[in-house]
Amino acid sequence: MKAAKWIRELPLHLLLLPGLALVLIYSYVPMLGVVIAFQKFTIFSGWFGSPWVGLDNFKYVLDLPDTGRVIWNTLFIASMKIVAGLIVPIVIAILLNEVSRAFVKRSVQTLIYLPHFLSWVILSGILIDLLSPSEGLVNAFLAWISIEPIFFLADNRWFPAVLIVSDVWKEFGFSTIVYLAAITSVNPTLYEAAVMDGANRWRQTLHITLPGMMPIIVLMATLSLGNVLNAGFDQVFNLANPLVYESGDILDTMIYRIAFNDAQYGLATAVGLFKSVVSFLLISISYLLAYRFANYRIF
C-alpha cells in the first residue's frame, strides 16, 4: 500500500527537484562564504590562503563610531515601514470592500498595484524629479501656498520620512490584494445577522471584518518581523547621498561600502552574518509569539 502511494506521488516529488536545485545552488552553497567573516580575506589568497582572525572582524565593526547610528537607522526605518505597511493596506482593503461599483473597485486596485512592478531604479528617478527643490511638483505646490522649498533628499529630518512613505506607496497595493482576499473569506451570513441586530457599517467592520481578517494580519505581521534589519537596500542605495548618511545610512549600504569601496570583504561578511543571525532569531521568536498569543501556526 505504501509502495503504491509512493509511486503515485513520485511525479509530484520530481516536480520539486528544479526548485530544490535552485535553492541549493543560490541559497545554501553561497553560505560557505560565511567563513570569510572569520578571516582577513583577500581575493588573491582566497578561502584557504587567508589568515584566520577569529572574532576580530566583529569587534572591529562594533567599535566603529558609525555602527551604533547605522543600526539605529536600520531598526527605525525598517520598523516604521513594517507598521505603516500593515496599517495602510488594511485600511485601504476595508475601504475598497465598501465600494459597490465593480469597475471603480478594479480600477483603483490596478492603479495602486502598478508601483509594485517598478524597480527602485525607476521609482527613484521619479521621486528625485518630484521632490526636486527647484523644479519638483511637490515644492512647486509648497511655493504656491507660500512655504519655503524643502530639500527632502538632502535633509536628515525629512529623508527617513521619504523612505517610509515611498516604500508604503510602492508596496501597499500588493498587500491590499492579500487583505481583500481575506475579507472575501468572511461568511456573508454574519453581516446579514449584524444588520438584523441593527449594526451599522462601522460596527460590522469592527466586529466582523477585522476579526475575519485577523489570521492573515497575524501571518503578515509575523512574516514581516523577520525584516526588522532589512530597511531596503535598493531604495536607500538609489535615493541616499552623503548628506543624509546621518539619518539614512543602513546596514546594507554600510556593508556595500565596506565590501566594494574599501575591499574589506571580511568586515562586510561579518556585518552581513550578524544581520542574518539577528533576523533568524527575530523570525523564530515571531513564530512562537504568533502561536502563543494568536493560536496561529504557519506550519
Side-chain angles (χ1 to χ4, degrees), residues 13-298:
H13 292 287
L14 292 176
L15 288 174
L16 291 174
L17 290 180
L20 288 175
L22 290 175
V23 171
L24 287 173
I25 293 172
Y26 293 106
S27 297
Y28 283 90
V29 173
M31 288 178 68
L32 296 173
V34 167
V35 298
I36 298 174
F38 306 97
Q39 294 177 323
K40 189 175 179 58
F41 180 82
T42 60
I43 295 178
F44 300 104
S45 300
W47 289 349
F48 301 103
S50 300
W52 292 88
V53 295
L55 298 176
D56 288 352
N57 287 329
F58 295 91
K59 294 177 182 177
Y60 180 83
V61 170
L62 292 175
D63 289 338
L64 290 175
D66 294 336
T67 300
R69 173 179 55 79
V70 170
I71 293 176
W72 164 252
N73 290 342
T74 305
L75 290 172
F76 175 75
I77 294 172
S79 299
M80 291 300 100
K81 284 182 178 181
I82 290 172
V83 173
L86 285 172
I87 295 175
V88 173
I90 293 172
V91 173
I92 298 299
I94 292 173
L95 292 176
L96 281 177
N97 187 56
E98 299 297 321
V99 177
S100 58
R101 293 183 178 273
F103 173 76
V104 175
K105 188 175 182 178
R106 288 196 299 267
S107 300
V108 172
Q109 281 184 254
T110 302
L111 288 174
I112 64 177
Y113 192 39
L114 281 177
H116 174 76
F117 295 100
L118 301 178
S119 71
W120 274 114
V121 176
I122 297 173
L123 288 179
S124 296
I126 296 173
L127 287 172
I128 290 171
D129 288 338
L130 287 175
L131 301 177
S132 171
S134 57
E135 300 177 355
L137 290 177
V138 175
N139 276 299
F141 173 76
L142 294 178
W144 182 65
I145 58 176
S146 303
I147 296 178
E148 292 293 325
I150 299 174
F151 291 76
F152 290 100
L153 300 179
D155 191 330
N156 283 297
R157 295 172 299 176
W158 287 97
F159 188 70
V162 172
L163 294 178
I164 295 166
V165 172
S166 59
D167 182 78
V168 173
W169 168 58
K170 182 178 186 296
E171 300 296 342
F172 84 95
F174 177 80
S175 300
T176 299
I177 293 177
V178 176
Y179 294 119
L180 279 171
I183 293 175
T184 58
S185 65
V186 178
N187 191 343
T189 59
L190 296 176
Y191 293 104
E192 296 173 4
V195 172
M196 294 295 293
D197 290 336
N200 56 25
R201 298 302 300 177
W202 167 248
R203 291 291 182 182
Q204 294 175 39
T205 300
L206 190 62
H207 297 290
I208 299 176
T209 306
L210 282 177
M213 298 169 63
M214 194 54 63
I216 297 300
I217 294 175
V218 171
L219 173 61
M220 299 293 285
T222 300
L223 294 177
S224 64
L225 287 179
N227 293 319
V228 169
L229 292 182
N230 292 325
F233 170 77
D234 293 344
Q235 179 192 24
V236 177
F237 181 76
N238 284 285
L239 288 175
N241 59 78
L243 294 175
V244 291
Y245 279 172
E246 181 181 343
S247 64
D249 197 16
I250 60 175
L251 283 172
D252 289 330
T253 51
M254 180 183 179
I255 293 171
Y256 179 88
R257 290 199 307 275
I258 292 175
F260 296 104
N261 293 353
D262 303 332
Q264 298 290 333
Y265 302 107
L267 298 178
T269 307
V271 179
L273 180 58
F274 165 77
K275 173 188 166 186
S276 298
V277 171
V278 173
S279 297
F280 172 76
L281 292 175
L282 287 172
I283 195 66
S284 300
I285 293 172
S286 66
Y287 286 151
L288 178 62
L289 293 176
Y291 175 68
R292 179 116 183 227
F293 295 103
N295 195 28
Y296 188 84
R297 296 185 63 176
I298 297 176

